[in-house]
């Protein structure tokens, strides 16, 4: 790929990154969970400046090199903190304790300062020449610090991504104990971000080994960076935390929980107590038909039967051997089967009538419950 194309691609990436930072910064003033997203996009945007700097502004190339270490070390912790904000069960706040995740990036500023203060002739020999460099304290520090940064970055990235995988798995399990509709809450797009960033990291690591292969041309790195920034900007700006719809309900329910907590003497539920709660849940579903509420949550159910939400969830999982998600959707499917047997309603009408928000979620739940689609079910009964 030619240098003009590389510079054009870098310019587009800088434009997309800068505009994304502007939009995220505007939202960041009102919602704190955008702070790590802003840092993440800003770091990626700074990294993407290489094509523009090396092709059009070569006199600033050492300044660009000086920001590489902190920019790389900001990526993984920012993605992890942003993911934490999206899966938090209460409104997320940026706390002083979160700064510890940025200690490697802050420490790497020493390397940035050393590069910024080093003579250009020394930096030219170290980074762009095959000649041996006469060792001195500054060149040794820059060399050792650079290798340490690469090692820390690799360990940091692997550690945070493994933690992120565990975090999202626990989040998906928790969703099913609170919601009966998981639309726009699964954060599947984050998996793609993780995959792209892994490719980005692998590309960067192989590229610095000076492998002479077309795949490691700088333009490919720019393209990966552009894709990452666009994906983060588009989905990040439209994504709300998964538990945001129940923040107020959870706060209100916590008051009820504290009122009822003394009744259970701060101990685990007895069998008699759990059976009583199970009976209340069944009555709420079968008699009161709470499942018809498309926005039903665990907290609404707990409020309806006047029981603490944590004990309702515990009863569902330990006594009734199910989750809130499965319990409500199974009740909806049974009601849907009765309507389908009449042959008087369309499948979409049936889905909406029993509490589903979308045809697709109804189809998926119906097939999981019956091992057949609604259409196949009707054919089996001769309709």
């Amino acid at each position: 790929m030619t240098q003009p194309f590389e510079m054009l691609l870098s310019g587009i990436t800088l434009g997309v990154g800068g505009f994304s930072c502007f939009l995220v910064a505007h939202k960041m003033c009102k919602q704190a969970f955008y702070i790590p997203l802003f840092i993440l996009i800003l770091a990626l945007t700074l990294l993407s400046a290489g094509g523009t700097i090396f092709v059009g502004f070569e006199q600033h190339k050492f300044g660009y090199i000086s920001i590489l270490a902190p920019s790389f070390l900001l990526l993984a912790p920012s993605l992890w903190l942003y993911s934490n904000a999206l899966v938090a069960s209460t409104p997320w706040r940026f706390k002083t304790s979160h700064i510890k995740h940025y200690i490697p990036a802050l420490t790497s500023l020493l390397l940035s300062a050393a590069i910024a203060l080093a003579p250009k002739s020394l930096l030219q020999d170290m980074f762009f020449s095959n000649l041996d460099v006469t060792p001195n304290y500054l060149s040794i520090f820059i060399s050792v610090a650079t290798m340490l940064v690469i090692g820390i970055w690799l360990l940091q990235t692997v550690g945070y991504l493994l933690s992120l995988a565990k975090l999202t798995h626990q989040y998906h399990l928790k969703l099913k104990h609170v919601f009966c509709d998981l639309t726009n809450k699964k954060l599947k797009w984050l998996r793609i971000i993780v995959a792209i960033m892994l490719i980005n990291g692998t590309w960067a690591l192989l590229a610095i080994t000076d492998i002479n292969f077309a795949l490691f041309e700088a333009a490919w790195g720019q393209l990966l960076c552009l894709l990452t920034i666009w994906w983060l900007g588009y989905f990040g700006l439209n994504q709300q935390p998964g538990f945001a719809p129940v923040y107020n309900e959870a706060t209100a329910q916590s008051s009820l929980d504290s009122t009822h907590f003394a009744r259970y003497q701060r101990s685990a539920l007895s069998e008699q107590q759990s059976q009583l709660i199970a009976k209340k849940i069944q009555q709420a579903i079968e008699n009161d038909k709470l499942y018809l509420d498309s926005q039903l949550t665990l907290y609404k159910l707990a409020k309806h039967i006047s029981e603490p939400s944590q004990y309702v969830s515990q009863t569902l999982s330990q006594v009734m051997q199910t989750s809130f998600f499965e319990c409500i959707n199974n009740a909806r499917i049974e009601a849907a089967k009765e309507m389908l047997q009449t042959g008087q309603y369309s499948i979409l009408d049936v889905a909406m009538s029993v509490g589903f928000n979308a045809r697709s979620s109804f189809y998926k739940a119906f097939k999981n419950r019956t091992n057949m689609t609604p259409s196949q079910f009707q054919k089996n009964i001769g309709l």
Side-chain angles (χ1 to χ4, degrees), residues 142-168:
I142 292 175
S143 299
V144 172
T146 299
M147 296 306 297
L148 282 174
V149 164
I150 293 174
I152 292 171
W153 171 63
L154 287 172
L155 292 173
Q156 180 194 61
T157 301
V158 172
Y160 276 111
L161 291 184
L162 288 175
S163 178
L164 180 57
K166 181 180 179 181
L167 181 72
T168 53

Side-chain angles (χ1 to χ4, degrees), residues 223-263:
L223 191 59
L224 286 171
C225 213
L226 173 60
L227 183 61
T228 308
I229 292 173
W230 179 86
W231 199 269
L232 272 171
Y234 178 79
F235 287 99
L237 286 167
N238 291 288
Q239 181 68 59
Q240 287 293 309
F243 290 100
V246 295
Y247 282 163
N248 293 333
E249 291 179 37
T251 302
Q253 185 63 28
S254 65
S255 300
L256 177 64
D257 289 358
S258 60
T259 302
H260 288 270
F261 203 62
R263 190 201 318 170

Side-chain angles (χ1 to χ4, degrees), residues 236-378:
L237 286 167
N238 291 288
Q239 181 68 59
Q240 287 293 309
F243 290 100
V246 295
Y247 282 163
N248 293 333
E249 291 179 37
T251 302
Q253 185 63 28
S254 65
S255 300
L256 177 64
D257 289 358
S258 60
T259 302
H260 288 270
F261 203 62
R263 190 201 318 170
Y264 296 102
Q265 300 177 344
R266 298 181 180 273
S267 62
L269 280 173
S270 67
E271 183 177 351
Q272 182 180 1
Q273 291 165 341
S274 59
Q275 290 296 337
L276 176 61
I277 294 176
K279 185 177 180 180
K280 285 185 175 183
I281 293 172
Q282 290 172 339
Q283 288 176 342
I285 294 173
E286 296 172 5
N287 300 336
D288 302 335
K289 299 187 183 300
L290 252 62
Y291 61 83
L292 296 179
D293 179 3
S294 62
Q295 303 300 321
L296 184 65
T297 65
L298 173 71
Y299 302 112
K300 284 186 178 181
L301 173 60
K303 182 179 180 181
H304 182 82
I305 64 175
S306 299
E307 294 290 350
S309 57
Q310 68 263 37
Y311 290 129
V312 174
S313 181
Q314 184 178 336
T315 299
L316 283 165
S317 60
Q318 295 181 3
V319 178
M320 302 176 70
Q321 300 295 307
T322 187
S323 65
F324 174 77
F325 175 84
E326 292 168 344
C327 178
I328 299 304
N329 283 320
N330 286 345
R332 289 173 174 173
I333 296 304
E334 293 305 313
K337 286 163 68 175
E338 293 180 8
M339 292 183 68
L340 289 170
Q341 287 173 353
T342 66
Q344 298 177 2
Y345 308 95
S346 69
I347 292 176
L348 181 59
D349 287 339
V350 171
M352 298 301 169
S353 297
V354 298
F356 286 97
N357 282 322
R359 182 188 180 103
S360 58
S361 57
F362 171 59
Y363 263 77
K364 184 176 181 180
F366 195 95
K367 191 163 187 178
N368 286 340
R369 177 69 172 171
T370 65
N371 291 321
M372 63 182 78
T373 65
S375 300
Q376 290 171 335
F377 174 79
Q378 287 185 314

Side-chain angles (χ1 to χ4, degrees), residues 66-262:
S66 70
I67 67 169
L68 288 179
S71 296
F72 271 112
L73 292 173
L74 285 172
L75 298 179
S78 296
L79 178 61
W80 188 83
L81 284 173
Y82 176 59
S83 301
N84 265 267
L86 291 181
V87 305
S89 55
T90 56
W92 189 85
R93 297 285 183 269
F94 192 90
K95 302 176 182 177
T96 306
S97 59
H98 292 146
I99 296 176
K100 66 184 179 184
H101 295 282
Y102 293 115
I103 289 177
L106 293 172
T107 305
S108 71
L109 291 175
L110 293 173
L111 173 59
S112 299
I115 294 174
L117 295 173
K120 291 185 178 180
S121 57
L122 173 63
L123 297 175
Q124 182 68 33
D125 290 342
M126 290 185 68
F127 293 108
F128 300 101
S129 174
N130 293 323
L131 300 176
D132 292 333
V133 178
T134 303
N136 58 43
Y137 289 116
L138 190 56
S139 64
I140 292 173
F141 174 79
I142 292 175
S143 299
V144 172
T146 299
M147 296 306 297
L148 282 174
V149 164
I150 293 174
I152 292 171
W153 171 63
L154 287 172
L155 292 173
Q156 180 194 61
T157 301
V158 172
Y160 276 111
L161 291 184
L162 288 175
S163 178
L164 180 57
K166 181 180 179 181
L167 181 72
T168 53
H169 175 70
Q170 293 173 340
Y171 165 71
H172 290 150
L173 292 177
K174 191 174 181 180
L175 280 177
K176 291 190 174 184
H177 289 286
V178 177
F179 298 101
C180 55
D181 180 13
L182 306 185
T183 305
N184 298 325
K185 296 182 180 70
K186 288 189 174 182
L187 306 179
K188 290 183 178 180
W189 65 273
L190 266 182
R191 299 175 187 174
I192 298 176
I193 285 293
V194 170
I196 295 175
M197 291 190 68
L198 281 173
I199 295 172
N200 260 326
T202 304
W203 179 91
L205 187 63
L206 294 175
I208 62 177
T209 61
D210 291 330
I211 295 177
N212 187 20
F213 188 56
L215 182 62
F216 303 115
E217 289 183 3
W220 287 107
Q222 294 290 345
L223 191 59
L224 286 171
C225 213
L226 173 60
L227 183 61
T228 308
I229 292 173
W230 179 86
W231 199 269
L232 272 171
Y234 178 79
F235 287 99
L237 286 167
N238 291 288
Q239 181 68 59
Q240 287 293 309
F243 290 100
V246 295
Y247 282 163
N248 293 333
E249 291 179 37
T251 302
Q253 185 63 28
S254 65
S255 300
L256 177 64
D257 289 358
S258 60
T259 302
H260 288 270
F261 203 62

